[in-house]
Amino acid sequence: MDIAFLLNGETVRLSGVNPTRTLLDWLREERALTGTKEGCNEGDCGACTVMVRDDAGARAMNACILFLPQLNGKSVRTVEGLAAPDGTPHPVQDTMVEHHGSQCGFCTPGFVMSMATAHANGETDHDTTLAGNLCRCTGYAPIIRAAKAAEDAAVPPHLGGEIRPIPDAPTGGNWVQPTTSDELAAWYAANPDATLIGGATDVGLWVTKHLTQLDKIAFLNRVEDLQTIQDTGEVLAVGAGVTITDLGKAVADFAPSFAEMIKRYGSTQVRNAATIGGNIANGSPIGDAPPALIALGATLYLRHGDDHRNIPLEDFFISYGKQDIKLGEFVIGVVIPKQAEALRCYKISKRFDQDISALCGCFNVMVIDGMVTDARIAFGGMAGTPHRAKTVEAALIGQPWTIDTVTNAAAQFGADYTPMSDARASADYRLTTASNLLIRYFHDLSGAPVSVLEVSA
């Protein structure tokens, strides 16, 4: 199987590619480009960050969980290729030196690549763009100062306008890379035991941590009709291949609380790779998107061969590790109603950024003339699947929207969930916090400051 991509401006063509070889390993072992570091090898520390560019623009991504076929037809920049051809450093390299942003230096290449990518995109929310890069020496302040100092510098011309190779979609062998959902449907129906890979932020760890051998793979990152977002005014139709980054941008206008929660989903590098289809299809009980989508009343669309069907998203999750999906069937996309004025999403985790939720609660309560007319409340991290708190909803509907009603309903969470105790939280903590979040929601809708970023002792 052949692939082609640009590496630091030069065309690379590879034959007989091992589909689960990571870019990180290939760079270090085959090209001696060791500026891209291996730290965690699971997409947490950012030491392996590279810049990947395609028609959607430049994105910072983790090379440690990025498989070589995912680069087919793209452009990759490592820290060795960041400076201009004449050796002139990139502006962020200069400012990192000027502001003493590097100490031991291990994390520095990854920081620089994240900063350079944000700089290319004109992004200045440095706390967000650098949340996926860990440093144990500097305390981050000099790095943030360096990023700010480079904001007004021009983007070096060698980082844009590259002509990328356009290879044919690989077929045959043990992996394929279809370009349409029709091709994918036909191949997957014939190979239902295969693994579908969208962004590899989950499957990547199967390989790097569990040393899983995958026999058949379909890479979905070139299936363009799964990467569309259509806004009808009433609903948002989101293809399964849409990244979490692009989902966040798409929902920001009508569901700002959901969009803010998405900023805490993994890191910039993870969100740039992870897809909404993968986030749903893996059935994780602690995935952060499903509770919000369930609270919004989203509908899931699936396909098997030429057959299509749709179900309420909440019905997709049957039990832990079991979803309503057939062999050879895959997620096409999700349709999201845009009635989200009252939607609030609360992610509870030990760290604010880049952490797995202990629980994630999303609330969408309709109040007309002081009475609750409808309620959709969904949680992740409270059970084996993300699902609704229907007993709590019933305790709200038809009642006046008062603190007494909310307090009484909050006591009903134990009827909807039997959470487990684990390293992230105890069962009692989860139930108590879920109840408190409903009360927080009441005050949130009243206009009181409730965010940890707004409230201080």
Side-chain angles (χ1 to χ4, degrees), residues 14 35 111 142 151 163 231 329 359 399:
L14 302 178
F111 268 98
E151 288 176 357
I163 300 176
D231 188 343
E329 188 174 41
L359 66 158
Q399 301 298 314

Side-chain angles (χ1 to χ4, degrees), residues 6 50 87 140 144 149 177 200 221 233 242 248 251 271 273-275 303 306 332 350 353 357 386 404 428 436-437 441:
L6 288 183
V50 295
Y140 295 93
I144 297 296
Q177 197 169 46
N221 60 302
V242 169
V251 303
R271 294 191 297 271
T275 64
R303 178 173 181 178
D306 293 329
I332 289 289
K350 292 182 178 180
D353 288 310
S357 295
D404 288 340
D428 288 343
N436 289 341
L437 288 180
Y441 176 69

Side-chain angles (χ1 to χ4, degrees), residues 258-281:
F258 185 17
E260 282 300 309
M261 188 264 286
I262 284 175
K263 287 184 179 180
R264 298 176 59 195
Y265 177 112
S267 64
T268 295
Q269 294 94 318
V270 168
R271 294 191 297 271
N272 284 341
T275 64
I276 185 58
N279 188 237
I280 293 170

Side-chain angles (χ1 to χ4, degrees), residues 96-315:
M96 281 286 278
V97 173
E98 294 167 3
H99 292 271
H100 308 286
S102 177
Q103 288 189 22
C104 84
F106 183 86
C107 70
T108 302
F111 268 98
V112 165
M113 294 310 299
S114 288
M115 293 162 70
T117 307
H119 179 263
N121 293 328
E123 297 170 349
T124 57
D125 181 0
H126 305 302
D127 287 344
T128 296
T129 59
L130 294 178
N133 293 84
L134 304 184
C135 178
R136 299 305 184 205
C137 300
T138 67
Y140 295 93
I143 298 174
I144 297 296
R145 287 195 289 268
K148 288 182 177 295
E151 288 176 357
D152 295 331
V155 177
H158 69 284
L159 294 184
E162 298 173 315
I163 300 176
R164 303 187 307 277
I166 306 176
D168 294 331
T171 57
N174 67 329
W175 65 275
V176 296
Q177 197 169 46
T179 57
T180 69
S181 57
D182 288 342
E183 292 177 17
L184 171 61
W187 185 86
Y188 195 35
N191 299 273
D193 57 336
T195 300
L196 305 185
I197 296 181
T201 55
D202 187 13
V203 177
L205 274 67
W206 301 1
V207 173
T208 64
K209 295 300 181 181
H210 301 294
L211 305 181
T212 302
Q213 299 292 319
L214 302 177
D215 294 330
K216 297 179 183 178
I217 302 171
F219 289 95
L220 311 187
N221 60 302
R222 295 186 70 201
V223 184
E224 294 184 0
D225 58 327
L226 293 185
Q227 300 173 20
T228 61
I229 300 176
Q230 298 177 335
D231 188 343
T232 70
E234 296 183 354
V235 300
L236 197 70
V238 181
V242 169
T243 65
I244 299 298
T245 292
D246 289 340
L247 174 66
K249 295 175 182 176
V251 303
D253 288 342
F254 74 92
S257 179
F258 185 17
E260 282 300 309
M261 188 264 286
I262 284 175
K263 287 184 179 180
R264 298 176 59 195
Y265 177 112
S267 64
T268 295
Q269 294 94 318
V270 168
R271 294 191 297 271
N272 284 341
T275 64
I276 185 58
N279 188 237
I280 293 170
N282 71 11
S284 171
I286 49 175
D288 287 331
L293 297 174
I294 291 171
L296 286 168
T299 300
L300 187 66
Y301 285 74
L302 303 109
R303 178 173 181 178
H304 182 281
D306 293 329
D307 296 329
H308 296 72
R309 68 183 177 108
N310 63 79
I311 57 174
L313 177 61
E314 62 196 85
D315 294 342

Side-chain angles (χ1 to χ4, degrees), residues 37 40 43-49 62 107 109-111 114 132-134 269 354:
K37 306 294 187 182
C40 65
D44 276 346
C45 74
C48 67
T49 303
N62 291 309
C107 70
F111 268 98
S114 288
N133 293 84
L134 304 184
Q269 294 94 318
Q354 203 186 176

